[in-house]
Amino acid sequence: MRPFTPPAWNARTRRLLFVVVVLFLLTFPLVNTLLTRARVDRDGVDVSASVVEAVDDGGRYLVSFRFPESVDPEQDRYAAVVGRTTFDVARATRKVDVRVLEGEPRHHHVAGEVYSKDPWIFTLVGDAIVLLVGLWWVRVGRRRPALRMLAMRDLEEAPDDEPSGLVRDTGEVYVAIGPVSATEGSSVTIELEDRVVVVRLNGHDNHAAVGTRVRAWGMLVG
């Protein structure tokens, strides 16, 4: 039989994977920052850096500094927002204590540094939105219009490991494979990957209850 739709990962699984990837991309920067801070605390060395500038920006205390050449031969300039006490000491002594990874001066932590809560807020809000929209999308998704099928024979139970889908049998006859989601009068609704097939039994038998996987043979009528 020639497949009508690919039997690989179904649409719901692909949507779920996409949501997981988006959550990872949103969360990774914050997680990476936290891991780097933990690494600095664990493996870093304490040094005294030279203060280049100390600025009071309306209650936001900014200190810029350079490491000794033995720590940073490039003599790049770094900055950090610190507490008032650290700021006052830095401005008076022109020195600030910094814990830094050897060979990686951009990975450091200034004593008394104040970290912004913005990354946490952005990440948590973003993750919440992705979860709410993503889970709705996984559950509902973009379902295509229902197919209509006129049964040509009795419905049969299908094994659980047989993938859901619609395959061509012979000529204009197709086989719909999937779980029964509803039975009403002389029709049965079968769930495919991203759509449903409503099968008119046309006098044929259906002994499968809702939730049972079945095969239905018939002609598509709309």
Side-chain angles (χ1 to χ4, degrees):
M1 292 186 296
R2 183 166 61 87
F4 184 79
T5 52
W9 285 358
N10 61 36
R12 181 169 294 182
T13 301
R14 292 193 295 269
R15 290 194 291 265
L16 180 60
L17 180 61
F18 179 79
V19 172
V20 170
V21 170
V22 173
L23 284 173
F24 173 79
L25 293 176
L26 277 175
T27 309
F28 177 76
L30 178 60
V31 173
N32 185 59
T33 297
L34 295 176
L35 291 175
T36 300
R37 289 179 191 171
R39 186 174 163 222
V40 170
D41 290 340
R42 183 184 66 248
D43 302 327
V45 295
D46 294 321
V47 300
S48 179
S50 299
V51 173
V52 177
E53 189 176 16
V55 178
D56 180 353
D57 184 18
R60 183 172 177 266
Y61 305 108
L62 182 67
V63 172
S64 61
F65 58 91
R66 286 193 178 94
F67 290 109
E69 288 190 22
S70 59
V71 175
D72 179 21
E74 300 296 328
Q75 287 295 280
D76 290 327
R77 179 170 170 172
Y78 299 97
V81 177
V82 299
R84 178 61 184 269
T85 302
T86 301
F87 174 80
D88 289 341
V89 172
R91 185 166 58 176
T93 65
R94 310 308 294 178
K95 293 289 183 181
V96 65
D97 294 329
V98 185
R99 191 168 181 84
V100 59
L101 287 177
E102 291 185 285
E104 300 179 69
R106 64 190 182 91
H107 293 149
H108 57 264
H109 167 72
V110 178
E113 185 170 353
V114 177
Y115 293 111
S116 172
K117 295 180 181 178
D118 290 347
W120 284 92
I121 295 173
F122 171 80
T123 301
L124 292 176
V125 171
D127 285 351
I129 293 174
V130 170
L131 276 175
L132 289 174
V133 177
L135 292 179
W136 173 86
W137 185 48
V138 169
R139 184 175 179 82
V140 178
R142 183 183 176 187
R143 175 154 289 189
R144 294 182 290 172
L147 293 172
R148 306 280 175 181
M149 176 182 282
L150 183 63
M152 307 293 291
R153 54 190 285 190
D154 295 346
L155 273 62
E156 296 181 358
E157 290 194 23
D160 292 338
D161 59 354
E162 187 170 6
S164 299
L166 190 69
V167 295
R168 189 189 296 272
D169 186 14
T170 55
E172 298 301 318
V173 178
Y174 287 85
V175 183
I177 306 165
V180 174
S181 61
T183 59
E184 183 177 353
S186 60
S187 66
V188 173
T189 302
I190 299 174
E191 294 281 337
L192 302 183
E193 292 181 353
D194 57 352
R195 69 194 310 175
V196 299
V197 177
V198 179
V199 183
R200 283 187 7 223
L201 295 175
N202 195 30
H204 297 287
D205 291 331
N206 170 43
H207 303 293
V210 172
T212 304
R213 295 181 62 79
V214 298
R215 297 191 197 95
W217 281 263
M219 297 180 62
L220 298 179
V221 293

